[in-house]
Amino acid sequence: MIVEINGNPLDVELLGGDDPGKPLLIAHHGAPGLGSRREPSAAFGHLSDLFRVLVFDARGSGKSGDVPPFTHEQWAADIDALREWAGAETLVMAGGSYGGFLAMEYTIAHPHRVLALVLRDTAPDHTHEEAATANARASSRIQVDEDKLDRIMAGQIRDNDDFRDCWASILPLYDHEYDPASIQARVDSVDYHYATHNFAFAVNQHHYDVKPGLPSVSCPTLVTVGRSDWITPVECSETIAALIPDAQLVVFEKSGHSPPMEEPERFQQVVRDFLVTRVLDA
């Protein structure tokens, strides 16, 4: 459904019914300008028997509107407005990749709202970009197009057709097991918003660093990551888990950037066990 949030239409889906007795879980997708609610729905929709799971296309992504600004502050404000729209005082906050950036920023800004934090393949600051670029260039899987890699990482995409081409050129890097036959369908499934991506990568990332705030996170935290994640390598999640008191780190040995898709049964069990133990039974 389309919901007007802070002056911008967002495409929102609430899984698990409208039972106010169920805790709310909001899951934020990654890849601003590329991502959509399909990703967090696949990762966290299985929890709809226990939680009301709210997934959405963020401002400037998917089927949602493109009203700027595309800042972390605005995206975090949209999360809080969605919480209020759902009628919840508290929530479980989840996010993958760039969505993990926003999940951490929201948790640091609203500690009294967050019952638990679940992160997937994310980073605590922007220094992962250098490692990601090196990993892409060292890949034996593809011959990286240097111009496209540099422009997508720097937020210098020319238009949506260029965004599509640049995305297609690096998509083979993401999975633990490479399936060339799946690439075209994945490229075709995306709604492209190049201006959102450019602002996120050319402006937001240069200032992104939540490390100083992570030691103040007091809610139960689960940090998950794929062993062969090229863009937010394991070391990033290790840093997050080391900075957040009593955080639990789980590495998925047969996954790249998306354990929910590559090891779905184990990922779902790890997340479910964590939330049942640390939230529902606490």
Side-chain angles (χ1 to χ4, degrees):
M1 74 183 81
I2 299 297
V3 179
E4 189 83 7
I5 295 292
N6 292 330
N8 184 70
L10 297 184
D11 192 10
V12 177
E13 185 175 12
L14 188 58
L15 309 171
D18 56 4
D19 180 1
K22 284 183 177 180
L24 179 68
L25 185 153
I26 295 182
H28 205 296
H29 65 76
L34 279 171
S36 74
R37 60 185 172 86
R38 290 193 302 269
E39 172 229 306
S41 179
F44 299 103
H46 66 97
L47 295 165
S48 62
D49 60 326
L50 302 176
F51 295 86
R52 290 185 298 148
V53 180
L54 192 157
V55 296
F56 64 105
D57 294 352
R59 180 183 299 257
S61 293
K63 303 298 184 185
S64 290
D66 290 324
V67 179
F70 306 123
T71 61
H72 288 196
E73 293 80 7
Q74 183 62 65
W75 282 323
D78 290 348
I79 294 170
D80 203 50
L82 284 167
R83 172 200 59 77
E84 188 174 4
W85 172 81
E89 291 296 318
T90 58
L91 72 157
V92 172
M93 188 70 233
S97 194
Y98 202 107
F101 301 179
L102 302 174
M104 287 183 279
E105 295 217 19
Y106 181 84
T107 300
I108 292 166
H110 302 278
H112 61 294
R113 297 287 188 197
V114 182
L115 300 170
L117 176 62
V118 180
L119 302 172
R120 190 273 302 166
D121 295 270
T122 190
D125 60 26
H126 62 85
T127 59
H128 68 283
E129 293 176 286
E130 184 176 346
T133 301
N135 288 339
R137 289 173 174 154
S139 175
S140 60
R141 187 171 288 179
I142 58 171
Q143 181 67 44
V144 171
D145 184 310
E146 292 282 348
D147 174 65
K148 291 179 180 178
L149 175 65
D150 289 346
R151 287 191 296 102
I152 200 168
M153 295 298 287
Q156 296 178 354
I157 302 299
R158 300 181 186 116
D159 54 33
N160 283 336
D161 288 338
D162 184 43
F163 198 9
R164 179 189 179 97
D165 290 343
C166 290
W167 174 236
S169 74
I170 64 170
L171 192 52
L173 298 170
Y174 279 84
D175 297 335
H176 181 72
E177 298 291 341
Y178 178 36
D179 177 16
S182 72
I183 298 299
Q184 190 60 51
R186 291 163 70 180
V187 170
D188 292 342
S189 71
V190 172
D191 292 295
Y192 294 91
H193 302 249
Y194 82 97
T196 310
H197 170 88
N198 281 352
F199 196 91
F201 279 74
V203 180
N204 293 343
Q205 286 218 119
H206 291 304
H207 308 288
Y208 171 66
D209 184 355
V210 294
K211 295 194 304 299
L214 292 180
S216 70
V217 173
S218 59
C219 66
T221 300
L222 174 65
V223 184
T224 67
V225 62
R227 175 64 72 186
S228 56
D229 186 345
W230 76 278
I231 192 165
T232 51
V234 171
E235 293 78 9
C236 298
S237 289
E238 290 174 337
T239 297
I240 295 168
L243 288 171
I244 297 177
D246 197 32
Q248 177 183 346
L249 174 65
V250 180
V251 180
F252 290 80
E253 300 294 339
K254 298 179 181 179
S255 292
H257 192 59
S258 186
M261 302 304 295
E262 298 190 86
E263 298 181 68
E265 291 183 3
R266 183 178 176 227
F267 181 85
Q268 291 178 15
Q269 195 63 56
V270 165
V271 173
R272 180 174 289 264
D273 289 348
F274 170 78
L275 291 176
V276 167
T277 302
R278 301 300 300 274
V279 177
L280 300 180
D281 292 344

